[in-house]
Amino acid sequence: AVFETDLSGLVGTFTGEFLSHASSEDWPATPEAWVVAVAGDGPLHIEEDRRSAGLELIGLFRDISKSIASRGPNMKKLPRLLEEIGYDGVKLHNSRVVGRTIWSVDMSGTIRTGTAEEWFLPPAFGSLASGGTKLLLIGPDTLPEMVVKALSSDVAVILLYAGLLDHAKRHELAQGLRAKAIPALLIDEAVIAFAATRREVRARTVFECGLPYGRVEPYTTDAGRLPPEMFFGRGEELRLIMSKTADGCLVYGGRQLGKSALLGHIARTEHAPEEDRIVVSREVRALGNAEKTSEIWAHLASMLSPHVVKPGSRTAEAVSKDIMEWTIHKPNGRIVAMFDEADRFMDADTKDDYPELARLKKLMEETGRAFKVVFAGLHNVQRMFRQPNSPLAHLGQPICIGPLNRTAADKRAAYDLVVNPMRAAGFCFESHEAVEQILSWANYYPSLVQEYMKGLLATLHGTGSGKAYRVGDDGPLWPIDSDMLFSHRTFGHIEHRIREKFHLTLNLDPRYALVAYTLGRLIVEGREYEARVVGLEPAALLEEASLSWPKFSQRPSPAAFEALLEELFDLGILGRATVSGTNKYRYLLGTRQVLTMLGSEADIYHALHEIEEKDPAVTYDRAIHRRRYKTGSGSGLDDWANSPLTDLQTERLFHPDAHPVQIVCGLEILGLSKVGIALKRIAESGRIPGSPESKLSVDIVKSPKELRAIVDRRDPSGHTQSIVIFAPDDAAQTDEVIRWLERQPSVLDRRVLPILLLDAADKDKRDIATAREEQTQFLESWAAEMVRMHLHQVEQMELDTKAIRDEIMRVTGGVPAEVIKVIRELRRQTDPLGFVKGWQANVSVQDGLFGTPEGKTLQLLDLYDGKDYEIFNELVLDETGKDLVSVGPDLRAMGLISTWNSKEGRIRRSALGSLLCSIALNQNEPEAPSLGKRG
């Protein structure tokens, strides 16, 4: 909805009818005339319950004006007048004459804004006036140019004019003050009288009506130092963070879109040690990278010292003890510690099974959340919340700092951000539609609105134009021509800056940009109704995005992709439409402005091409990451291995709705036989991702008899106590074992979780796995993301270049053992790229594979152009006797294709599939070099 915002506010009424009356002969000249005037029906009428106070304010001002006119300013009454206007703690000092009828006084004091009636106070008179405000007392006959001469632009000034200013003097003052960029509040008898007649807070009335004559420039693009007056909206987010509940512990969003501004605002406005309320914020970008995750306790100690933590406390135990003691001695006390840029800390602590997060969560619970920790970051903070065994997964929903249009309150705040500071600056918009256009253009992001408005205001002030600044006769308020909003002199620069900020968020994750540009491609290809109005279902959008998916990057599962789309919706890049009769969504490009920010048709296709070549993310992603486990007794890199299952696949084994009998299917070269030992070692060192909190035993059995003994073992606890791993000899035994397990009470009530390992090289076993797809996890080769993760785990970041990674993927096919082996060798090479190009993988082709329909199809994929799927399908049918619907599931089960969707007409060979085809081709050539194990 478009809010009916009052575009002109109080100043519109003041500069219209009221000032006209002030220039007339009907304006009172004596105290008696004022008594009559305020009781009458004209513009000076004051309602009876406020009449006495109004007359007192007017009389006080007139008394001070008389003293100024007689060249003896009454310094005793001045503080009282300022306090009547709305100042607290007024102190005046250093009074001096700066002109024949001008007195300068240094003033300290704060304006009262703690009221339910919200109004805008420019930072120059509020939080940025910590050094004080200059007060100029001006005689009635003083020329405006003499006033301006006595001022400078570095200090905000209150101009208290004795008597009543006419229109000409007001205009002259505005011309001089604004030309010299002086933030000034003009107060004369008309302003005071108007404040006396109104029911609004006096400070609001005086500032709204007196500010436009001077020049304030309140907008800022420095989010780290955002004045509290320029913080609009986010009321619900602030409430959740400060609440003594589980909500508000996780804050995420795009770059430069408001996270740091929110945390800084809360720390500045809520921190009150004198009230036993400690609210602190710190950036911890180095944690999890240059600093160990355990250093978070040292950061916490520094943030809370000396109010809470003792100087010598640095460890988790000592800091926790100090915090506990403080909360005990101060039962009404609160501690809110906020950590900004916490992504790397989250990544590192997640990989280590959450040691520090678990301690922090325990401390929050033990203090009844009198102590609360808040983590802010990019998308990784939110993704961590999705981990079933994360210590923070049981807390309230993460807070997304996205566009200011999710609630009516935030949308109102967005309107105020556009209208109120501009009104204080002396300008107003021609229509509500103009405000809506600006907000839509900036996608309702507060930081982008600030960027735009700062540039617009600079244009209106003529900054950089080389021309002398002139004010029009039609102000204040000076109207802003709607036709120039997106076509003025500096608009191109503003647009460039805003596009840069927008792309900082879009480039957080290559997949963010891929989804947005894919929708942009659909629009330029004539599918705007689908991509901008009705939306695409996640599966269809994933297939469209797959056309430009980076070659060696891993495609997400449907569930992971849908989570990615939800992140894009939260960030305001995508919109969504409900699928009729369901709780599912279709996704579309959020606004036309998002499309504009993507650029031209050429820009869109160029960006998609670049994304195909882009480095994959190295941050933690449970759909890609394989958990490390210890294999030996040493501490070297060779004593660690990676699970064949991703964390997401492992979590699915334990999902409450999962089938009670689970299957893992894959080729041996992808680590099938290591699934059991990996789960066993991970369980011994901590918790398996997604598993119950109780300690689990992992048993690897070799026969149906051993399997039966564990399944029949009595356990009175009623909880899953044992994971049992079994690799059947053949398909017949597999079928028999599954049918028997599905009838066992201990399996059905999940006291025992059986996991059957089926070799994908065996066609009959493979058929069982593909027929039971809903209970099967298929092993895949490593994608480029996992290669990057491994390079960083073994601290070989200098090898993390696209050229080296691409060669590693080409020569190893993403086979885990081969990737690890070649990287181990690369650490000792002076020419790593040349060395990896000559690497020969110890990977053999399954006997007879390329004589099967599956193997022939894999080779025929060399002829597939990515477009003519049906023609390729006919070719496969002619050459193998089977179509893609028949062979696709087998190729996927063996991990030989990375993409296949018959409905959308997409199929792509995996890195492993390409490697096996290359090996088979070389083996058929007489002069081919040996493909044995590298010596």
Side-chain angles (χ1 to χ4, degrees):
V2 174
F3 290 102
E4 289 299 318
T5 306
D6 186 357
L7 297 177
S8 59
L10 292 173
V11 67
T13 304
F14 173 71
T15 56
E17 177 187 359
F18 198 86
L19 276 186
S20 296
H21 184 71
S23 303
S24 72
E25 295 179 355
D26 296 329
W27 190 262
T30 65
E32 294 76 17
W34 274 104
V35 171
V36 174
V38 299
D41 294 330
L44 291 174
H45 174 75
I46 302 177
E47 294 177 13
E48 190 171 352
D49 63 322
R50 299 173 66 90
R51 194 169 297 162
S52 175
L55 284 170
E56 184 178 354
L57 175 66
I58 295 168
L60 180 60
F61 178 83
R62 285 172 60 83
D63 287 345
I64 293 172
S65 295
K66 288 177 183 177
S67 69
I68 296 172
S70 62
R71 301 187 183 182
N74 190 328
M75 295 299 177
K76 291 183 179 179
K77 288 188 175 182
L78 266 176
R80 182 180 158 203
L81 174 68
L82 294 166
E83 287 167 1
E84 287 290 330
I85 288 173
Y87 273 94
D88 278 335
V90 175
K91 292 184 179 178
L92 305 178
H93 49 90
N94 197 21
S95 172
R96 58 204 181 277
V97 178
V98 295
R100 189 170 64 87
T101 55
I102 303 174
W103 291 262
S104 175
V105 183
D106 293 336
M107 166 193 161
S108 61
T110 56
I111 193 73
R112 288 194 297 273
T113 56
T115 173
E117 181 185 350
E118 294 187 7
W119 58 281
F120 177 71
L121 176 70
F125 288 90
S127 59
L128 299 184
S130 55
T133 303
K134 187 180 290 298
L135 176 63
L136 230 60
L137 309 177
I138 307 164
D141 298 323
T142 308
L143 296 176
E145 58 263 33
M146 300 304 297
V147 175
V148 174
K149 185 179 178 181
L151 300 172
S152 65
S153 61
D154 56 348
V155 179
V157 61
I158 298 175
L159 304 178
L160 201 154
Y161 231 101
L164 192 66
L165 282 170
D166 60 26
H167 176 77
K169 279 190 175 180
R170 287 178 185 277
H171 187 272
E172 286 181 55
L173 268 175
Q175 174 64 52
L177 294 169
R178 298 176 76 86
K180 289 189 66 175
I182 297 172
L185 174 68
L186 177 60
I187 301 176
D188 73 338
E189 189 173 296
V191 172
I192 292 295
F194 188 66
T197 67
R198 306 293 300 188
R199 280 198 169 271
E200 288 83 6
V201 173
R202 282 177 179 172
R204 173 190 173 182
T205 306
V206 170
F207 272 88
E208 280 201 23
C209 298
L211 279 172
Y213 295 95
R215 178 165 156 183
V216 294
E217 299 186 7
Y219 292 104
T220 178
T221 54
D222 185 358
R225 300 179 63 85
L226 188 69
E229 296 90 351
M230 291 306 297
F231 189 89
F232 286 74
R234 310 292 188 204
E236 179 65 9
E237 291 88 340
L238 193 154
R239 185 189 67 79
L240 289 174
I241 288 173
M242 289 303 300
S243 69
K244 209 171 180 179
T245 68
D247 295 317
C249 288
L250 297 176
V251 178
Y252 76 101
R255 291 194 186 279
Q256 296 190 20
L257 294 183
K259 298 185 309 299
S260 299
L262 173 63
L263 267 56
H265 178 74
I266 292 174
R268 282 189 292 270
T269 58
E270 297 292 332
H271 183 59
E274 68 282 359
E275 299 176 14
D276 295 334
R277 190 169 68 247
I278 311 296
V279 183
V280 287
S281 176
R282 174 173 291 192
E283 183 185 292
V284 289
R285 195 189 302 267
L287 276 177
N289 189 16
E291 297 177 346
K292 294 180 180 179
T293 55
S294 58
E295 287 297 305
I296 195 169
W297 295 96
H299 282 282
L300 194 56
S302 175
M303 294 160 70
L304 300 180
S305 179
H307 298 294
V308 179
V309 176
K310 298 170 184 174
S313 298
R314 303 280 293 178
T315 64
E317 293 75 14
V319 173
S320 296
K321 180 173 179 289
D322 289 349
I323 291 173
M324 284 288 295
E325 288 180 355
W326 188 89
T327 58
I328 290 171
H329 289 117
K330 298 183 182 293
N332 296 320
R334 291 293 315 283
I335 301 171
V336 179
M338 301 177 289
F339 296 101
D340 198 8
E341 302 288 354
D343 297 273
R344 289 187 180 275
F345 168 78
M346 291 289 196
D347 276 350
D349 206 55
T350 298
K351 291 172 186 174
D352 293 340
D353 208 26
Y354 320 105
E356 311 309 332
L357 286 167
R359 291 188 185 103
L360 288 165
K361 177 176 178 284
K362 182 182 178 184
L363 182 58
M364 283 194 282
E365 292 171 345
E366 287 178 343
T367 62
R369 294 193 181 85
F371 165 75
K372 186 172 185 177
V373 64
V374 176
F375 292 103
L378 305 172
H379 52 294
N380 292 341
V381 169
Q382 187 261 5
R383 288 177 187 175
M384 186 206 151
F385 168 77
R386 298 176 181 269
Q387 313 303 315
N389 58 333
S390 162
L392 299 184
H394 306 293
L395 299 183
Q397 286 290 328
I399 295 172
C400 177
I401 306 303
L404 273 179
N405 63 355
R406 294 295 188 236
T407 67
D410 272 351
K411 194 165 185 181
R412 165 68 70 182
Y415 269 73
D416 289 343
L417 174 58
V418 172
V419 173
N420 293 357
M422 286 298 282
R423 197 162 59 207
F427 299 97
C428 71
F429 295 94
E430 289 184 334
S431 67
H432 298 103
E433 287 72 18
V435 179
E436 179 71 26
Q437 287 172 359
I438 291 170
L439 290 171
S440 297
W441 189 84
N443 212 34
Y444 277 85
Y445 287 133
S447 66
L448 301 190
V449 173
Q450 294 254 18
E451 186 88 46
Y452 172 86
M453 298 305 296
K454 183 177 181 180
L456 176 62
L457 192 55
T459 298
L460 294 170
H461 285 152
T463 306
S465 67
K467 297 179 180 178
Y469 182 76
R470 303 294 301 175
V471 298
D473 292 330
D474 52 351
L477 299 166
W478 289 275
I480 303 170
D481 185 357
S482 296
D483 291 338
M484 58 81 68
L485 291 177
F486 306 106
S487 60
H488 56 77
R489 176 175 47 83
T490 60
F491 178 70
H493 174 71
I494 299 171
E495 187 176 36
H496 176 72
R497 288 276 297 149
I498 286 184
R499 185 171 291 179
E500 280 184 337
K501 279 195 171 186
F502 175 79
H503 281 273
L504 285 175
T505 292
L506 206 59
N507 293 332
L508 286 176
D509 186 320
R511 297 171 299 179
Y512 282 180
L514 177 56
V515 170
Y517 279 107
T518 294
L519 287 166
R521 171 181 63 79
L522 294 177
I523 290 173
V524 300
E525 290 176 355
R527 296 169 63 181
E528 181 168 3
Y529 183 72
E530 190 177 5
R532 272 280 297 122
V533 182
V534 296
L536 286 84
E537 294 191 13
L541 186 49
L542 176 57
E543 292 306 322
E544 290 292 344
S546 295
L547 292 176
S548 302
W549 210 271
K551 183 178 179 181
F552 292 125
S553 290
Q554 184 165 328
R555 280 193 2 148
S557 67
F561 186 69
E562 197 159 348
L564 184 82
L565 297 180
E566 278 297 294
E567 292 172 19
L568 284 165
F569 170 74
D570 287 341
L571 293 171
I573 295 169
L574 295 189
R576 68 186 186 191
T578 305
V579 178
S580 180
T582 73
N583 58 357
K584 302 287 187 181
Y585 296 103
R586 291 188 297 268
Y587 293 86
L588 52 140
L589 214 55
T591 64
R592 183 166 293 279
Q593 177 54 22
V594 173
L595 177 61
T596 301
M597 289 186 184
L598 295 180
S600 65
E601 179 176 344
D603 292 334
I604 289 171
Y605 282 111
H606 178 71
L608 287 170
H609 175 72
E610 284 192 331
I611 290 168
E612 288 189 74
E613 304 298 322
K614 202 166 224 178
D615 282 346
V618 73
T619 52
Y620 174 79
D621 188 329
R622 63 185 181 137
I624 296 168
H625 182 256
R626 277 85 168 170
R627 191 160 295 243
R628 299 180 82 201
Y629 64 93
K630 205 163 177 55
T631 60
S633 56
S635 58
L637 297 174
D638 295 340
D639 293 300
W640 291 84
N642 293 84
S643 171
L645 294 166
T646 68
D647 281 2
L648 181 59
Q649 287 178 317
T650 308
E651 290 165 11
R652 286 176 180 164
L653 299 173
F654 299 93
H655 195 279
D657 298 329
H659 194 282
V661 180
Q662 288 289 301
I663 296 169
V664 176
C665 178
L667 296 174
E668 177 53 37
I669 56 174
L670 297 181
L672 181 68
S673 64
K674 296 178 181 177
V675 169
I677 193 65
L679 292 175
K680 188 176 183 68
R681 292 283 185 266
I682 293 169
E684 289 170 350
S685 62
R687 253 178 63 214
I688 298 174
S691 68
E693 293 191 9
S694 56
K695 187 75 173 177
L696 299 181
S697 65
V698 179
D699 297 291
I700 304 170
V701 300
K702 298 181 179 180
S703 68
K705 182 178 179 181
E706 293 180 35
L707 176 65
R708 180 182 292 273
I710 291 174
V711 171
D712 289 342
R713 190 164 56 196
R714 294 185 178 277
D715 172 35
S717 69
H719 298 292
T720 303
Q721 293 294 313
S722 178
I723 301 170
V724 56
I725 315 291
F726 177 52
D729 294 334
D730 51 38
Q733 188 181 72
T734 302
D735 187 63
E736 181 182 347
V737 166
I738 290 175
R739 293 180 184 279
W740 177 77
L741 287 169
E742 289 175 337
R743 300 193 303 268
Q744 304 311 303
S746 61
V747 173
L748 295 175
D749 65 14
R750 300 184 182 275
R751 284 178 285 130
V752 176
L753 174 62
I755 300 175
L756 303 184
L757 306 182
L758 303 186
D759 188 351
D762 185 317
K763 168 64 175 170
D764 294 330
K765 289 182 181 178
R766 198 164 69 227
D767 287 345
I768 293 174
T770 55
R772 292 173 171 265
E773 185 175 357
E774 79 284 350
Q775 67 189 93
T776 302
Q777 306 301 323
F778 294 101
L779 298 183
E780 295 178 323
S781 56
W782 284 9
E785 292 93 336
M786 191 60 205
V787 173
R788 290 199 76 191
M789 287 183 190
H790 182 70
L791 285 168
H792 285 250
Q793 284 171 343
V794 298
E795 298 182 354
Q796 296 298 310
M797 281 76 83
E798 69 278 4
L799 300 176
D800 188 14
T801 68
K802 187 177 188 310
I804 292 177
R805 287 196 313 270
D806 285 354
E807 282 301 312
I808 290 174
M809 292 298 298
R810 185 184 66 81
V811 302
T812 67
V815 173
E818 286 298 313
V819 173
I820 293 170
K821 194 189 308 178
V822 72
I823 289 175
R824 186 183 303 145
E825 293 293 327
L826 282 174
R827 287 182 292 182
R828 298 191 287 267
Q829 304 303 317
T830 57
D831 179 18
L833 182 59
F835 178 82
V836 74
K837 284 183 176 180
W839 182 266
Q840 294 175 349
N842 183 25
V843 175
S844 59
V845 179
Q846 175 189 333
D847 290 342
L849 172 64
F850 289 102
T852 65
E854 293 78 21
K856 290 178 180 178
T857 300
L858 197 65
Q859 289 181 311
L860 287 171
L861 275 168
D862 284 330
L863 304 176
Y864 178 50
D865 61 3
K867 298 178 182 177
D868 300 318
Y869 181 85
E870 291 303 327
I871 295 174
F872 178 68
N873 189 38
E874 292 176 8
L875 175 63
V876 170
L877 185 60
D878 290 342
E879 294 291 327
T880 70
K882 291 187 175 182
D883 61 9
L884 291 173
V885 172
S886 301
V887 300
D890 291 283
L891 291 171
R892 184 180 58 188
M894 291 185 283
L896 303 181
I897 56 175
S898 60
T899 301
W900 175 59
N901 187 303
S902 59
K903 181 180 177 182
E904 298 292 334
R906 310 267 192 262
I907 188 166
R908 179 190 284 185
R909 203 157 54 193
S910 69
L912 175 58
S914 296
L915 175 66
L916 295 186
C917 285
S918 174
I919 292 174
L921 179 65
N922 290 336
Q923 285 176 339
N924 290 331
E925 296 175 0
E927 70 276 12
S930 169
L931 295 172
K933 185 175 180 181
R934 190 175 184 85

